[in-house]
Amino acid sequence: MFSINQSPPIVSLSGSPLRFSIYSDRVAEFLRILAYPIQYNNDIADVLPLDQNNLTHFDLHEYYKGRRSSEYVRDNAFLHLNFCKPASIRFKEYFGNPPDVSATELIYDGHIIDGYIPRWKQNEFRALYSSFYDYLQMNKPYLTWYPRTIKKVLPEQPERLYFLNTGIAADLKIIVGVYFQDGTFVLHDPERSINTGQYQVISFATGYSALGLKTWAEANHPGKKITHYYVSVSRNGYGISEPFAYKVDYNDYRNVRYLVFQNSLSGWDTLACTGEYDQTIEIERSIASRIADVSDVNRLHKIEYHREYSQLVKVNTGWLTIGEKEWLTELLISDKVFELLKGQLTPVLIRTKQFDTTDRIFQPGEAEIEYERLFLAE
């Protein structure tokens, strides 16, 4: 008997263990199991010994970590073909002297997202879910760890929600539930749809301005003001995702900085920093001492042979809940962070080294984040 006794769920994260247990009761000299982790490639194989229980174990995640990607786009609806793609691994028996490879082949076909459960979220996650696929099936979530309360957004704030379609291939669209200041509610179809295959990821622009909510409200509900709204993905008129709620912040802030960053599930989140900010230039100089030279009577005793300057920005987030502070860990540990200023994305390097997320009775409701703007090497 030759079988796969344990394998990952149909959808997994590359940053989590992807464990296999393979069983073989073949009686043969020098019996080993060959694992081919790269699809359609017979040249790369791991040779695995069996233990006293006729089992061998293999972890696939190192082969797929970093191999999936997601783009940051501004389209109203977008299909991310490289976000979640098929992963296949084959196992064969290898035995005898001279060695022979069995014709019998075990195949696992699954799907992998390049992501992981971050440390700040692990305890809560493991207490509720047996796997990432279990989380997907139970919650139908968007690919973000933003707390599921209500997110405050400015009218021009760029927002995107990423959704993995675990159901059948179909045209998926978003439906917006709109709440007005007078307490009334109405469903709105912004006509954003995209054909999506099973286990493919799509994203929708869900900001107030991107959805055209102001223009729509003025045309269809004159005199009414939108206070908050939620977004849900639907198929054939039925909701297939969790609702995600936004509260519109109409305050006219003097300083606004948007930080766009890739989260640990490979989606992209946005933080609006509405407090005061500082912007400075930091210069580092390399200086050498020099000795006198009789051929150069004007020779100075020191010379600067290299200088490097950096543009540093320190922003204040404005008021945050304790849940939002914990979510900001995603920004601090992200390796892809951009500042969106005047419509342009500039890559930045987060300089903040310490961040207080303590839940105090009289906790400060804001945070400071320091970053450096990055430019092409010279």
Side-chain angles (χ1 to χ4, degrees), residues 207-338:
Y208 176 85
S209 178
L211 289 172
L213 292 180
K214 180 180 179 182
T215 303
W216 167 80
E218 289 174 347
N220 296 276
H221 303 275
K224 290 190 174 185
K225 185 177 183 179
I226 297 174
T227 56
H228 52 291
Y229 62 96
Y230 71 80
V231 177
S232 182
V233 178
S234 71
R235 179 179 61 231
N236 298 327
Y238 295 94
I240 61 170
S241 77
E242 63 172 341
F244 194 94
Y246 296 98
K247 180 180 179 180
V248 187
D249 184 355
Y250 292 102
N251 289 310
D252 185 17
Y253 296 101
R254 189 167 67 93
N255 300 302
V256 178
R257 294 288 188 279
Y258 296 118
L259 294 178
V260 179
F261 57 96
Q262 190 171 41
N263 62 40
S264 56
L265 297 178
S266 286
W268 291 82
D269 289 341
T270 302
L271 170 68
C273 300
T274 57
E276 293 297 315
Y277 81 101
D278 296 320
Q279 184 169 296
T280 58
I281 300 296
E282 181 180 270
I283 301 176
E284 294 184 7
R285 305 177 188 273
S286 299
I287 299 174
S289 297
R290 302 196 296 182
I291 60 176
D293 186 345
V294 294
S295 64
D296 184 3
V297 296
N298 295 318
R299 184 182 180 93
L300 302 176
H301 80 292
K302 286 187 178 182
I303 184 172
E304 179 185 292
Y305 62 88
H306 178 74
R307 76 180 66 89
E308 182 173 329
Y309 71 93
S310 304
Q311 290 187 10
L312 302 181
V313 181
K314 184 182 290 185
V315 294
N316 188 294
T317 60
W319 180 264
L320 298 174
T321 66
I322 189 64
E324 288 173 321
K325 278 193 168 186
E326 291 177 340
W327 164 73
L328 274 190
T329 307
E330 291 284 88
L331 168 66
L332 301 181
I333 63 177
S334 175
D335 59 359
K336 294 180 182 178
V337 185
F338 295 87

Side-chain angles (χ1 to χ4, degrees), residues 2-8 18-24 33 48 50-51 53-60 89 91 106 108:
F2 184 38
S3 63
I4 299 177
N5 286 10
Q6 178 188 352
S7 63
L18 303 174
R19 296 192 180 98
F20 292 83
S21 290
I22 311 301
Y23 175 82
S24 173
I33 303 300
L48 311 173
L50 282 85
D51 61 21
N53 297 314
N54 296 327
L55 289 170
T56 189
H57 307 281
F58 182 73
D59 195 331
L60 185 63
I89 181 170
F91 298 97
L106 302 177
Y108 162 84

